Amino acid sequence: MLIDSFANRLDLALKRNNMRPIDLANKTHIDKSSISRYLSGDWKASQKRLTLIAMALNTNEAWLMGYDVSDGPNKSHINYKDYDAIKNNSNKLTLEEKKEKMLDYMDKYNIDSLSPIPVYSRIYEKDFKLVDRYIDEYITIDTKLYNIDSPQNFFYVKITDDSMNKKYQKGDYILMKKSKSVKNDTIALIISDNTTIIRKVTLQGDLLLLEPLSYNTTKYKTQACPREKVKILGTVIGYIGYENN
């Protein structure tokens, strides 16, 4: 039964966690203006954002929505404190140990919806491929949140240059789905002229326009390439970081 409003429950959860709206914005990467609208009662969060907020505030979606249920966290959520501790200590571990640590954590808390996704940050190295020797770390994600049925088909790329800085910044993690094809106006990881890059792809007849979304227009320019000369590795479906509209 609904006994309270989303706005009131969100305000209460913030106070319980000794957090300000800006703290929640920083933790969830939901813009502060949206959180202000939630608190004022003007807007209600989408399901994906509701899950992120519930995770950050150590509660569950139903309680946040105002239902007469326990405010305990959903067991399928990542425990931020434990997860951060695992990541902070991961520099002392080998790559395989990192993956095992994540899997052990998932088993311990009986979290079957989480899956470790590989991260590639050396895409610009010669002869780059989506293979184990180029994996630098793993990030665990809730597959239900992204409606992912086959986690092995997904990977992250860590942004290390400014070729896409109108949309993604250095240090952002871009979630991608493996694909050999691309739709019009899609951001993709591609190989062109033996170089691996991330670009917005526009279909134009037999050509692909590869557009760098960068403020540095001197260094990065749009290329027009024959389709058969471009290899698609994956397309963007999400990110961790601050995305500019």
Side-chain angles (χ1 to χ4, degrees):
M1 182 174 66
L2 199 64
I3 61 171
D4 204 350
S5 68
F6 171 54
N8 288 340
R9 286 284 173 87
L10 178 58
D11 182 59
L12 179 58
L14 285 169
K15 290 174 180 175
R16 286 181 177 179
N17 286 271
N18 195 28
M19 289 174 63
R20 302 166 298 167
I22 186 63
D23 299 323
L24 182 62
N26 290 337
K27 196 164 189 177
T28 60
H29 304 308
I30 297 172
D31 57 281
K32 185 175 179 294
S33 62
S34 292
I35 292 172
S36 295
R37 289 291 190 101
Y38 300 154
L39 288 167
S40 67
D42 293 337
W43 292 354
K44 290 185 179 180
S46 65
Q47 181 58 50
K48 287 185 179 181
R49 286 190 167 189
L50 188 66
T51 298
L52 289 174
I53 293 169
M55 289 165 63
L57 296 176
N58 199 34
T59 185
N60 65 78
E61 296 94 331
W63 183 85
L64 270 178
M65 291 168 67
Y67 285 96
D68 186 15
V69 296
S70 167
D71 61 357
N74 186 330
K75 289 185 178 180
S76 71
H77 292 166
I78 299 169
N79 181 304
Y80 273 89
K81 184 177 179 181
D82 288 352
Y83 182 57
D84 284 343
I86 291 171
K87 290 207 301 182
N88 291 339
N89 291 325
S90 65
N91 289 337
K92 302 173 184 177
L93 306 174
T94 66
L95 184 62
E96 199 56 36
E97 286 173 334
K98 292 178 186 178
K99 184 177 181 180
E100 289 302 315
K101 193 80 172 178
M102 294 297 181
L103 291 172
D104 288 346
Y105 176 76
M106 291 157 59
D107 288 340
K108 178 181 178 182
Y109 292 99
N110 193 27
I111 305 174
D112 58 5
S113 66
L114 295 187
S115 183
I117 305 297
V119 176
Y120 300 93
S121 57
R122 294 173 288 134
I123 64 172
Y124 304 114
E125 290 188 9
K126 186 178 179 181
D127 300 324
F128 170 81
K129 294 181 178 65
L130 295 175
V131 296
D132 287 353
R133 69 189 180 95
Y134 285 104
I135 298 174
D136 296 300
E137 57 180 309
Y138 289 89
I139 292 178
T140 302
I141 66 172
D142 188 336
T143 55
K144 290 181 179 177
L145 189 63
Y146 287 97
N147 295 318
I148 291 174
D149 294 325
S150 304
Q152 67 273 15
N153 292 328
F154 294 81
F155 63 95
Y156 278 101
V157 172
K158 185 176 182 180
I159 300 295
T160 58
D161 69 3
D162 58 353
S163 63
M164 297 292 289
N165 63 4
K166 286 184 179 179
K167 197 167 186 69
Y168 307 115
Q169 308 304 312
K170 289 183 181 180
D172 285 358
Y173 290 81
I174 310 305
L175 180 60
M176 293 191 160
K177 183 176 183 179
K178 293 179 181 178
S179 177
K180 294 182 179 179
S181 61
V182 64
K183 294 180 180 179
N184 194 40
D185 291 337
T186 298
I187 295 175
L189 180 68
I190 62 178
I191 297 177
S192 175
D193 292 331
N194 297 316
T195 302
T196 308
I197 53 178
I198 298 176
R199 293 291 186 268
K200 178 182 175 182
V201 181
T202 302
L203 310 181
Q204 195 170 84
D206 293 330
L207 297 176
L208 296 181
L209 299 184
L210 311 179
E211 180 185 358
L213 303 178
S214 176
Y215 293 109
N216 189 345
T217 55
T218 301
K219 182 177 180 180
Y220 302 104
K221 299 183 181 300
T222 299
Q223 302 169 267
C225 301
R227 293 195 185 204
E228 65 272 14
K229 298 292 185 181
V230 176
K231 181 178 181 180
I232 308 296
L233 298 180
T235 56
V236 172
I237 67 164
Y239 74 101
I240 300 176
Y242 295 96
E243 184 175 9
N244 301 317
N245 295 323

